[in-house]
Structures are given as C-alpha cells and as structure tokens.
Amino acid sequence: MANDCIFCQIVAGDIPSKTVYEDDAVFAFLDVNPLAPGHTLVIPKNHHETLSDVPEDTASELFSALHRLTPAVEDAVDADASNVAFNNGEAAGQEVPHVHAHIIPRFDGDGGNPIHAIAGSTPDLSDEELDEIADDIADAR
Ligand code: 5GP
Ligand code: ZN
C-alpha cells in the first residue's frame, strides 16, 4: 500500500467508496465524479502506477474482473454500450497514479464521443513508417 495514494486508502477502507466488487486481487467502486450513471473504476488492490507496472497474473485477474463487471454495469443502468479504458500515464491524462480501468456506460444519443476523440492531432504515416513501428512493437514485446 502507498500511504499517500487515494485508491490504496479506498482499498484499505480508510476512505469510503461505493464498492461494487472485491476479490483477492481486484477492487471496483463507483467514480465519485461520474461521466455517466454507473461509471465504475476497477483497480488492482496492490499499488501499481501504470499497466506496465502490473505483474502479469494481476493483469489477468484485472481483465477477468473487467470482463465480468462490464456487462453487470451496463445491465444495472440499462446502458446500450460502454467505453472501457485506461488513462495510462500522466501524459495520457491519468490523475490518480494507481492504475485503474474506467467502465463508462453509454446510451444511444448521449452526445458523447468514441475513444478516437482523445487524439489531439493525428499523424500522417507512410506504409514504410507503419511497418517500422509494427516491427519495433513486435521486437519490444
Ligand atoms: P484518471 O483521470 O486518473 O484516469 O481518473 C481518476 C478518476 O478517479 C476520476 O474519474 C475521479 O473522478 C476519480 N476519483 C478521484 N478521487 C476519487 C475518490 O476519492 N473516490 C472515488 N470514488 N473516485 C475518485
Ligand atoms: Zn495506490
């Protein structure tokens, strides 16, 4: 536990939360400032800052919980769909440095945007540049 971390304090019960799910490795609770009814945060109980800091077994448990919780959240608020996403790192807009997935219920005609709306400006990449990037990712994996 990181003592100065809000989400660690929520897991420990030191800060109250509207808890929706808990198991050995994962904790989920309603966002205090929801973008939609049912907006839920899903976190590993242990403190890890970003996705790349999360051990693989914990990542599996996190995804497994997300897989089960997403339809539960949608059903609970009668949503038509959801955006499921991580702000992974400060430059991506992550404000709480304890990795968390957002489940944001979506409704037909809610006026929101797809995840593509997060980009500031989009790059114009040649086929060769795309090949190079794909190779670099494959090598780094
Ligand atoms: P981020 O920008 O880091 O991806 O999202 C952090 C989220 O945590 C925000 O949506 C914010 O509303 C939520 N949040 C911040 N502090 C608290 C808190 O003390 N309790 C709950 N339930 N949510 C919080
Ligand atoms: Zn933490």
Side-chain angles (χ1 to χ4, degrees), residues 2-122:
N3 288 328
D4 57 349
C5 171
I6 299 169
F7 288 178
C8 282
Q9 291 172 59
I10 285 177
V11 171
D14 296 338
I15 293 178
S17 71
K18 302 209 181 297
T19 309
V20 303
Y21 177 78
E22 179 173 13
D23 63 28
D24 287 349
V26 177
F27 196 86
F29 53 102
L30 295 184
D31 195 297
V32 76
N33 193 13
L35 297 176
H39 182 171
T40 297
L41 302 174
V42 186
I43 68 174
K45 283 185 163 176
N46 289 337
H47 183 85
H48 305 290
E49 190 163 332
T50 65
L51 269 179
S52 54
D53 301 319
V54 178
E56 196 149 340
D57 56 344
T58 306
S60 297
E61 292 180 276
L62 191 61
F63 192 83
S64 173
L66 266 178
H67 181 244
R68 277 175 284 127
L69 280 167
T70 299
V73 169
E74 288 184 8
D75 286 353
V77 297
D78 208 16
D80 298 304
S82 56
N83 291 109
V84 181
F86 293 80
N87 290 326
N88 192 39
E90 206 175 333
Q94 183 178 356
E95 290 184 355
V96 177
H98 181 134
V99 64
H100 50 279
H102 293 260
I103 303 174
I104 304 167
R106 297 295 304 271
F107 302 86
D108 288 339
D110 64 13
N113 291 299
I115 205 165
H116 293 70
I118 61 176
S121 59
T122 51

